[in-house]
């Protein structure tokens, strides 16, 4: 009994409940995918316990004070993809389900590949030797059998409705995602030390690999429909992207690749490379050399966003004009609805930023509570648009995330003349989960609100699913923190700060918000099919996850809540 209590801490228990609910809803034709998720969860569970009993994880320089989060980071994105598949299975027919199965295996292979790599690395460090003893041979055989079994399930799943040569190519595609994930997570951990736990880094890694892989697949479909891409994406499963998703994907991937290209340009132009490979790449200097490098930065950024990225957008989608002009026309196609919304967003943003910045400088209010005010601002900003202008909100989310990426690059590299000022301003809102190198809280809040909305495009018979981020972060997390900080007495654990009173307040507030939101959505034409018992379970599990997890809750809670709402 004592062993069970040690192995099943609060976070792991909540994750197991989450996975169990998901597997309970898996239809027969997704049995392979459900079985793979259970194997993935078992591997993540084992590796997380193994890392807790060794000191080998220190080499990765993870975020101080955070647990490894391996189990939660391993299952979150595959669970989201599986829940989306379950939701699409309820549609009479849906042409994208075949490609979504391939995406599920891609993200699952990314997580599984990282687990295999970590297991091999941590075992060698724990043994302190590279020689294979008898126990190591036995362990290696068990691990190899596990990998082969997992690969066999992937093969049978992809082979169900796919000809032979197509299966081989799709397996190669999935394998490349796993290899890319291993390479990327090592780069993230080494480039940004002490900025994330293993689970957080794994979530980011799997998401980036999947997103870039989807962009590459779209490009391959357009390059050669008869050879490689036709085997990768069958005609009946060909990806259907609208203009907004194409623009968002092109801009975001372009901004993620931009730092690599800029470093190459700096080296090519003969500037000093002394700081390019470290965290002290400083160009915020008023010397002529520093100004020239800053101008080179802004010029390169303009070329990427105005010339290079739009070329890809027009290649993969039939834009009859420059994509930026399309955005301008889209905004002004309904000026009486969208322009006032833009003015409202700008007004709320400016007022809240100036107000909270002054409070952070002159008030003794705790920073954690100050940050929760931004969660409430997110509710005020996004809820009306999500009900009245959902497509426009998709575009606005993408524009906001692109702006955040540009500002963070300028802040990290201290690009003249804005870098120093952005750094001082952002430091007023940081907490223990941020570092001097990266400030991620505003990214996680925006992504937590945006991802459920982006993933709900197409068939959606659960009208609350797009609101998963707003409800869990803007209402539930905020009320849990405020009530717990002011009135909380009973703590969930001896070492944690989360209280039972706060968690109860968060769960109750989300439940009340849903009871108000559902009739409102019904009045605007949505077909309500959300079962209250399932809704209560989803709210409770996400509330308990907020109480127990030591990970960046802005990133995980909306995805878990979204997955449960889709069921």
């Amino acid at each position: 009994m004592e062993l069970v209590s040690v192995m099943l801490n609060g976070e792991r228990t909540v994750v197991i409940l989450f996975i169990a609910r998901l597997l309970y809803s898996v239809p027969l034709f997704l049995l392979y995918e459900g079985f793979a998720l259970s194997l993935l969860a078992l591997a993540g569970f084992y590796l997380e316990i193994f890392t807790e009993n060794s000191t080998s994880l220190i080499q990765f320089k993870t975020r101080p004070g955070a647990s490894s989060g391996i189990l939660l980071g391993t299952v979150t994105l595959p669970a989201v993809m599986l829940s989306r598949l379950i939701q699409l299975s309820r549609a009479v027919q849906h042409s994208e389900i075949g490609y979504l199965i391939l995406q599920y295996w891609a993200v699952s292979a990314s997580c599984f590949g990282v687990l295999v790599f970590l297991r091999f690395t941590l075992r060698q460090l724990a043994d302190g030797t590279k020689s294979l003893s008898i126990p190591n041979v036995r362990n290696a055989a068990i691990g190899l059998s596990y990998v082969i079994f997992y690969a066999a399930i992937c093969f049978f799943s992809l082979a169900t409705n796919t000809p032979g040569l197509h299966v081989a190519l799709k397996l190669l595609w999935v394998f490349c995602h796993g290899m890319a994930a291993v390479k990327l997570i090592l780069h993230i951990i080494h480039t940004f030390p002490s900025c994330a736990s293993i689970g957080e880094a794994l979530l980011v890694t799997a998401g980036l690999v999947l997103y870039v892989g989807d962009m590459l697949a779209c490009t391959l479909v357009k390059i050669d429909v008869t050879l490689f891409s036709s085997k990768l994406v069958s005609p009946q499963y060909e990806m259907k992207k609208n203009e907004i998703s194409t623009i968002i994907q092109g801009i975001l991937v372009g901004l993620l690749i931009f730092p690599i290209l800029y470093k190459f340009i700096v080296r090519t132009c003969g500037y000093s490379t002394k700081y390019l490979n470290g965290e002290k790449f400083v160009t915020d200097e008023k010397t002529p050399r520093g100004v020239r490098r800053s101008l080179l930065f802004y010029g390169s950024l303009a070329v990427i966003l105005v010339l290079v990225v739009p070329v890809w957008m027009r290649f993969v989608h039939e834009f009859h004009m420059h994509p930026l002009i399309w955005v301008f026309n889209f905004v002004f196609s309904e000026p009486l609805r969208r322009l006032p919304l833009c003015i409202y967003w700008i007004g709320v943003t400016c007022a809240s930023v100036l107000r909270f910045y002054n409070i952070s400088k002159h008030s003794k209010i705790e920073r954690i509570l100050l940050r929760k005010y931004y969660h409430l601002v997110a509710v005020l900003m996004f809820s009306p648009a999500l009900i009245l202008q959902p497509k426009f909100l998709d575009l606005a989310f993408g524009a906001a995330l692109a702006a955040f990426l540009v500002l963070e690059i300028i802040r990290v590299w201290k690009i003249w003349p804005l870098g120093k000022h952005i750094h001082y301003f952002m430091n007023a809102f940081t907490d223990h989960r941020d570092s001097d190198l990266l400030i991620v809280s505003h990214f996680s809040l925006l992504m937590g609100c945006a991802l459920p909305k982006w993933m709900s495009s197409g068939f959606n018979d659960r009208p609350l699913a797009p609101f998963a981020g707003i409800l869990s972060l803007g209402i539930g997390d905020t009320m849990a923190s405020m009530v717990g900080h002011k009135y909380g007495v009973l703590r969930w654990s001896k070492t944690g700060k989360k209280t039972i009173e706060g968690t109860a307040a968060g769960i109750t507030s989300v439940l009340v918000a849903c009871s108000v939101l559902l009739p409102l959505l019904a009045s605007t034409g949505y077909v309500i099919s959300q079962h209250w018992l399932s809704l209560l379970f989803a709210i409770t599990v996400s509330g308990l996850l907020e109480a127990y997890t030591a990970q960046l809750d802005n990133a995980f809670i909306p995805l878990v809540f979204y997955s449960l709402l889709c069921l």
Side-chain angles (χ1 to χ4, degrees), residues 190-439:
H190 292 151
T191 306
F192 307 106
S194 303
C195 292
S197 68
I198 294 293
E200 293 163 357
L202 181 54
L203 179 70
V204 173
T205 297
L208 289 178
V209 170
L210 180 68
Y211 204 55
V212 175
D214 179 70
M215 182 179 185
L216 181 59
C218 293
T219 308
L220 291 174
V221 167
K222 292 295 182 179
I223 290 177
D224 191 349
V225 179
T226 62
L227 294 176
F228 183 84
S229 58
S230 64
K231 296 178 178 63
L232 183 64
V233 182
S234 302
Q236 66 267 31
Y237 299 145
E238 186 170 349
M239 293 156 288
K240 297 179 181 179
K241 286 185 172 292
N242 56 32
E243 293 88 349
I244 293 177
S245 62
T246 302
I247 290 173
I248 294 173
Q249 189 170 35
I251 293 292
L252 295 184
V253 175
L255 287 176
L256 292 172
I257 299 175
F258 168 72
I260 302 173
L261 299 178
Y262 178 60
K263 286 185 178 183
F264 175 77
I265 294 173
V266 168
R267 290 190 180 99
T268 304
C269 293
Y271 288 109
S272 173
T273 60
K274 179 179 179 181
Y275 301 107
L276 280 173
N277 296 319
E279 55 269 13
K280 293 184 178 180
F281 181 27
V282 179
T283 60
D284 189 13
E285 45 186 310
K286 296 182 181 179
T287 62
R289 188 177 183 85
V291 172
R292 285 198 300 270
R293 284 187 297 195
S294 297
L295 292 177
L296 178 63
F297 172 88
Y298 294 116
S300 303
L301 183 62
V303 169
I304 290 291
L305 296 182
V306 179
L307 296 179
V308 177
V309 170
V311 168
W312 176 83
M313 295 177 188
R314 300 191 72 173
F315 178 74
V316 300
H317 198 284
E318 295 182 0
F319 285 97
H320 300 293
M321 61 189 75
H322 193 283
L324 296 182
I325 298 177
W326 185 93
V327 171
F328 182 83
N329 291 338
F330 177 77
V331 174
F332 283 91
S333 62
E334 296 183 20
L336 296 181
R337 295 183 179 181
R338 292 169 181 166
L339 288 181
L341 196 57
C342 291
I343 297 172
Y344 170 70
W345 284 339
I346 294 173
V348 172
T349 301
C350 293
S352 59
V353 166
L354 293 176
R355 175 60 178 167
F356 297 155
Y357 182 67
N358 291 331
I359 291 177
S360 68
K361 291 173 61 177
H362 305 293
S363 175
K364 294 183 179 179
I365 187 173
E366 287 203 20
R367 189 156 298 186
I368 183 64
L369 296 181
L370 182 64
R371 289 157 60 89
K372 298 307 175 184
Y373 290 140
Y374 276 103
H375 290 215
L376 293 176
V377 170
V379 176
L380 292 175
M381 292 180 63
F382 303 143
S383 296
L386 188 50
I387 297 174
L388 302 175
Q389 286 288 323
K391 290 185 178 180
F392 185 50
L393 182 61
D394 285 341
L395 188 62
F397 274 140
L401 186 57
F404 280 0
L405 284 172
V406 172
L407 293 176
E408 185 65 9
I409 294 172
I410 292 174
R411 187 197 69 82
V412 170
W413 281 348
K414 299 181 181 178
I415 302 296
W416 180 85
L418 300 175
K420 186 182 298 183
H421 303 290
I422 295 174
H423 179 73
Y424 289 150
F425 177 81
M426 293 302 299
N427 272 345
F429 305 102
T430 58
D431 66 3
H432 65 281
R433 292 171 296 186
D434 296 306
S435 67
D436 292 333
L437 187 57
L438 277 184
I439 299 177

Side-chain angles (χ1 to χ4, degrees), residues 491-512:
R491 300 190 182 277
W492 284 105
S493 64
K494 296 179 180 179
T495 57
K497 296 182 179 180
K498 304 296 179 64
T499 64
I500 296 177
E501 293 88 349
T503 301
I507 294 173
T508 303
S509 62
V510 175
L511 194 58
V512 171

Side-chain angles (χ1 to χ4, degrees), residues 22-34 82 85-87 89-90:
L22 189 60
L23 295 177
Y24 176 78
S25 303
V26 171
L28 286 178
F29 85 97
L30 293 176
L31 197 59
Y32 288 125
E33 288 73 18
L82 184 56
L85 280 168
I86 294 172
Q87 185 181 30
S89 69
R90 295 194 293 266

Side-chain angles (χ1 to χ4, degrees), residues 137-157:
V137 171
R138 185 178 60 187
N139 291 337
I142 295 174
L144 182 60
S145 301
Y146 201 89
V147 172
I148 293 174
F149 188 45
Y150 186 85
I153 295 173
C154 178
F155 171 79
F156 287 125
S157 172

